[in-house]
Amino acid sequence: DQQVKQNSPSLSVQEGRISILNCDYTNSMFDYFLWYKKYPAEGPTFLISISSIKDKNEDGRFTVFLNKSAKHLSLHIVPSQPGDSAVYFCAATRYSGAGSYQLTFGKGTKLSVIP
Amino acid sequence: DAGVIQSPRHEVTEMGQEVTLRCKPISGHNSLFWYRQTMMRGLELLIYFNNNVPIDDSGMPEDRFSAKMPNASFSTLKIQPSEPRDSAVYFCASSWGEDQPQHFGDGTRLSIL
């Protein structure tokens, strides 16, 4: 049973426009959410995160929005650049204390930014 | 700055052989994670260590898999005996706290024939 879902396997956007990547989760215990970017033959790279006590976090061209009631988060990239073309993974964590830590990933969305 | 270093980058071996994957975390990081990526299941956490101690190995698929962290700068993931269904990309990641963003290595692409 997938606890973190990225329902769009791919997305194409024109350079300069907004890219919106979506992620849904089912586990209400998740309290911290992250986005990673991955280029081919490389490991995922941390992009941006958000705690469950916030509903928005912004870092330059990247903004993550969290809607706890809908168990939904999204990553906005504005403006999109060709170098943003990569696979984007949504991830969620649940810190349960006693040293227990889990990072659950979605299956990723491949973003293609067209020049 | 050196990132997380994994070796080998690629491994091709025959079914039944022992496979050892290696990871050097970022200096100063005290948490280390092993992940496996497959088409079917995506990225899955196998095990993680905090201060060299295994904390959660519930993701390890079966007894054929074992992981060690003898010191703060080195970890291994071993599969013995290997099977074709173990073919995947294995990632190691480290962080300076259990709840801090993890930094990933470039992975080991494992093919079991």
Side-chain angles (χ1 to χ4, degrees):
Chain A
D1 181 34
Q2 256 192 296
Q3 297 188 64
V4 178
K5 297 180 184 178
Q6 294 177 256
N7 292 319
S8 298
S10 63
L11 175 68
S12 289
V13 172
Q14 206 73 29
E15 180 179 4
R17 308 293 285 268
I18 184 171
S19 294
I20 300 176
L21 296 100
N22 293 304
C23 178
D24 297 294
Y25 61 95
T26 57
N27 190 337
S28 57
M29 298 297 290
F30 287 146
D31 55 13
Y32 191 60
F33 305 87
L34 308 91
W35 284 94
Y36 281 81
K37 178 170 73 172
K38 184 183 182 302
Y39 294 117
E42 294 184 9
T45 302
F46 170 71
L47 195 55
I48 192 169
S49 63
I50 188 167
S51 164
S52 60
I53 62 173
K54 294 185 176 181
D55 55 18
K56 177 182 174 181
N57 188 27
E58 192 171 351
D59 183 3
R61 296 185 298 114
F62 303 91
T63 303
V64 56
F65 295 92
L66 174 62
N67 183 334
K68 288 189 292 294
S69 60
K71 293 192 180 67
H72 176 85
L73 61 155
S74 61
L75 174 68
H76 293 209
I77 307 173
V78 183
S80 301
Q81 300 173 354
D84 297 330
S85 297
V87 177
Y88 289 78
F89 291 96
C90 171
T93 76
R94 170 175 61 88
Y95 186 69
S96 60
S100 179
Y101 177 99
Q102 294 184 19
L103 188 58
T104 303
F105 282 88
K107 289 194 174 180
T109 297
K110 183 176 182 179
L111 173 65
S112 300
V113 180
I114 304 160
Chain B
D1 284 345
V4 175
I5 299 172
Q6 290 187 247
S7 63
R9 288 299 311 274
H10 303 274
E11 174 89 11
V12 181
T13 192
E14 290 187 346
M15 173 179 171
Q17 297 297 308
E18 178 180 291
V19 172
T20 299
L21 311 182
R22 296 172 175 80
C23 175
K24 177 178 168 55
I26 293 173
S27 178
H29 283 190
N30 62 352
S31 294
L32 183 139
F33 307 81
W34 282 101
Y35 290 89
R36 179 172 67 175
Q37 184 184 28
T38 60
M39 289 293 291
M40 285 287 289
R41 301 175 68 90
L43 262 168
E44 301 175 283
L45 177 66
L46 299 177
I47 185 172
Y48 89 93
F49 296 83
N50 193 42
N51 294 320
N52 311 339
V53 176
I55 301 300
D56 187 345
D57 65 354
S58 59
M60 295 286 261
E62 45 195 281
D63 292 345
R64 297 184 297 106
F65 286 70
S66 63
K68 293 182 180 179
M69 192 164 186
N71 57 61
S73 58
F74 184 66
S75 176
T76 59
L77 178 67
K78 189 172 291 187
I79 309 172
Q80 167 64 19
S82 58
E83 296 182 4
R85 60 192 167 119
D86 302 330
S87 298
V89 181
Y90 291 81
F91 288 101
C92 175
S94 70
S95 68
W96 61 269
E98 291 176 314
D99 58 346
Q100 297 302 313
Q102 298 168 20
H103 298 260
F104 283 75
D106 287 338
T108 295
R109 182 173 293 277
L110 177 63
S111 298
I112 308 297
L113 306 177

